[in-house]
Amino acid sequence: MATNENVSSTVIENNDPSTDFTGTHEVQECIEGEDEAQLEVYNNNCPKPHGGYIPVNNLTLEHFPVGYHDDDLLEFTRVLCALTVRITVKYISPNRPEFLPGTKDPYPFYSSRGKKILTRGTGVAYPTFKCVAGTEGRSTCPCVECEVSGTPRDIWYQVEISTARHVIYDVSEARKSTCRLWFDDDASLDVSVVGYKLVELNPLDDNCFLFCATHDFKIHEKLEKIVSPFLHLHMKLREKYSNDDEKLMIIVSHPHGCSKQVSLGRWLNRKNVNGYTRYTYTNCTCRGSSGALVYRLGCWWPRHPHSGVNTEGINYSGKTWDLLNTPPE
């Protein structure tokens, strides 16, 4: 596990140096029309070390620290890999702010507002739902394909993707987005769902939900089979590791838009405000990792997205709740 043993872990109550949780976001900007092979150019030109990445198909118990050779932990990480998606967005919203609200920290892609620029990040899929005519007052599927079709579908499947708000800012970007599932290696089939709606949470917290649609029952069926063990294994791990001394962090992401990788690390600082938290941590990340789930072993509920790298070169997450054994009131 990649760690910095000279840096101690601390809990910061209610205030913290703002520089711990601001810096450079890690969205990968791409050239539209590039094929997957060309993504290796970004990978090869990256100045950050990549030694902490583990290809998802190579992950074994031996990659985990001594004391964590736990079959449940390995299986959970593999399930997290199966739910991790690559997000592609082909548009920059004209509504992106110049600064992170309430700060003078530049907000990503402000200078590119209204342009057709291709960017890539990461997200994680949560439960899917079968939708029929009448769902949310809709008579037909809300995806872009159905909107322009003369025969729109009246049955579709909704997939919810958790990611960072700076990856997808609003509905104009959501409707220009796709999420590729199960992109584990270069031989993976291109299986994707299309975005149509965004639940816009506070940009300062840097998390949101992207709603996607698919007409493929097999995608819905496969995701349903994966989500159930994800929830079951998370509950088991929460019980086992509620007092995790090593402060293990797990991130699965798509560095540079390439096939997904696992990185293991530990958390360094935790900001706590009324039970809501955000973290700094040592995991290996790169451009393309923005929005990936930052999984703290023993957490109440896995929701923290990877947000960026601060001025000290340390990774930091978005803000949500997980500190307590129950959600904050």
Side-chain angles (χ1 to χ4, degrees), residues 80 83 85 123-129 158-163 208-209 223-224 227 230-231 293 295 301-304:
L80 174 57
L83 291 175
V85 305
V124 61
Y126 284 111
T128 64
F129 304 93
Q158 176 179 291
V159 182
E160 295 183 9
I161 308 293
S162 178
T163 187
C208 66
F209 282 104
L223 284 172
E224 285 289 281
V227 167
F230 175 85
L231 299 175
L293 179 65
Y295 186 79
W301 181 244
R303 267 293 315 281
H304 290 79

Side-chain angles (χ1 to χ4, degrees), residues 220-292:
H220 164 74
E221 184 179 45
K222 184 172 180 177
L223 284 172
E224 285 289 281
K225 289 179 179 178
I226 298 168
V227 167
S228 180
F230 175 85
L231 299 175
H232 173 69
L233 288 164
H234 164 66
M235 296 295 285
K236 291 181 71 173
L237 295 178
R238 193 175 79 187
E239 293 287 330
K240 286 185 185 182
Y241 298 101
S242 59
N243 297 308
D244 176 33
D245 293 332
E246 183 69 15
K247 300 178 172 65
L248 182 69
M249 284 286 204
I250 303 169
I251 296 178
V252 183
S253 71
H254 285 279
H256 306 293
C258 298
S259 59
K260 69 185 68 159
Q261 305 284 323
V262 179
S263 65
L264 305 176
R266 62 189 285 261
W267 68 265
L268 301 174
N269 293 328
R270 178 172 64 198
K271 178 186 179 182
N272 171 28
V273 180
N274 300 324
Y276 290 82
T277 58
R278 67 191 316 169
Y279 291 87
T280 61
Y281 38 91
T282 64
N283 301 62
C284 186
T285 64
C286 291
R287 291 191 179 277
S289 297
S290 272

